[in-house]
Amino acid sequence: MLSLPSTRSDRFEGVGTINAVRRLLEYGWDKDSPPLVHARRVLFRLFAEDNEHGFLYELAGKSNDEDLVRRGRLILREAAGAALAQAGYEDDPRLRGVARRVLERLLSFLRSPLAQKPWTRVGNQHVLAAEAAPPSMYTLIMFAYMPLFRTEHFEAMDRLYHFLSQPLPRQEPLQMIGKKVVSQPHLVLGDQLPNRNAADEDVPRAITWLELMARLGFLRRNDNWLKLFDRFLDDRDEQGVWHPHKGMAAVRSNDPFVWASYPLEAALSGDERWTDATFRLGLIARILGRPIESV
């Protein structure tokens, strides 16, 4: 459900259903087109609160550990919610129910002392406490495409903004799940774009973060993110086409959360190298309400 094509495979070979759905939506496919209609049923099925092991897909592995099963179902539930919200199902009561349960769990965490000190020591490493429930990238994507839901829960969104704008801890997102320490790369523990170096290190990831913050209504509230966005705009030429701040190579990313939206071009050669970044910057500007001038 969440797998990505390997770098050695054909472009889409091995892609999981959730990432495939989000990719088609980025290409502009309608939610009622046959491929997305076929996928919709299984995505809604993932909202079920049972712990059916057979619906864990590649997250199942060979483990029957109840805690790991719960973790797997939670990840898939949030990821399915993100895809369905992006497809435009905000008014569906099933999606709103999942979003409400996710928000209640998140808000309980943000109001607790764990939000400030979520770490516990296990052996020689610091890991997230089992009770810690920071937002995941899937949660942020789901909320980003549910503007009415965000309006209804303004206080919770304000708390979420303050959490996302805090300094990112140095520790890797590992967490105690039952008796095991498990990697949680989907969890967001703070500001993913604190400075210019972070933006230059992975441009597609930086632009993806800026778009997500813009959709959530957070970008205009954060002076640092706005400055980095304006710096990207300053790197456009006289025709409005973006180019890297240094060099002329196409920018790439290994971040799995970037894959669904970048790159959409079939090839990153010639002038196509700049299409995706230029389009995304224009999209962010449009979300912010800035005028778009045709060249």
Side-chain angles (χ1 to χ4, degrees), residues 104-289:
E104 288 172 354
R105 181 170 177 267
L106 172 61
L107 194 54
S108 177
F109 166 74
L110 294 177
R111 287 172 171 168
S112 74
L114 278 175
Q116 299 300 320
K117 295 182 179 180
W119 306 97
T120 185
R121 190 173 183 84
V122 176
N124 61 352
Q125 61 184 165
H126 285 84
V127 302
L128 293 169
E131 301 82 11
S136 71
M137 282 295 292
Y138 304 119
T139 293
L140 299 183
I141 295 168
M142 177 168 56
F143 291 163
Y145 287 94
M146 300 182 70
L148 295 178
F149 182 85
R150 295 199 311 272
T151 302
E152 295 165 4
H153 300 88
F154 175 81
E155 179 189 351
M157 294 300 121
D158 187 59
R159 286 180 178 269
L160 177 59
Y161 165 72
H162 287 291
F163 181 81
L164 295 177
S165 58
Q166 71 180 7
L168 188 69
R170 295 181 179 181
Q171 295 95 323
E172 292 295 321
L174 305 174
Q175 188 172 27
M176 286 297 299
I177 306 294
K179 298 181 180 180
K180 298 182 179 180
V181 176
V182 180
S183 177
Q184 300 276 60
H186 58 293
L187 297 182
V188 181
L189 301 175
D191 188 353
Q192 301 285 303
L193 196 61
N195 51 50
R196 179 182 297 184
N197 290 337
D200 291 340
E201 181 181 357
D202 193 327
V203 170
R205 181 176 62 185
I207 293 178
T208 298
W209 178 257
L210 291 173
E211 180 185 341
L212 190 57
M213 294 302 102
R215 290 187 181 278
L216 285 166
F218 297 162
L219 180 53
R220 58 172 55 92
R221 299 177 60 181
N222 191 293
D223 290 339
N224 180 58
W225 295 339
L226 277 176
K227 288 178 181 178
L228 291 173
F229 174 62
D230 287 332
R231 179 172 176 266
F232 279 122
L233 295 183
D234 291 340
D235 289 333
R236 296 172 299 165
D237 62 20
E238 64 277 3
Q239 293 183 317
V241 177
W242 178 86
H243 295 275
H245 197 66
K246 295 181 180 179
M248 291 297 289
V251 292
R252 300 177 184 274
S253 177
N254 292 321
D255 191 321
F257 298 104
V258 172
W259 185 88
S261 60
Y262 184 91
L264 300 182
E265 282 285 359
L268 292 178
S269 59
D271 290 340
E272 290 82 1
R273 289 173 292 175
W274 325 125
T275 303
D276 281 281
T278 301
F279 166 73
R280 290 290 163 186
L281 293 175
L283 177 59
I284 295 169
R286 176 60 65 85
I287 296 170
L288 290 176

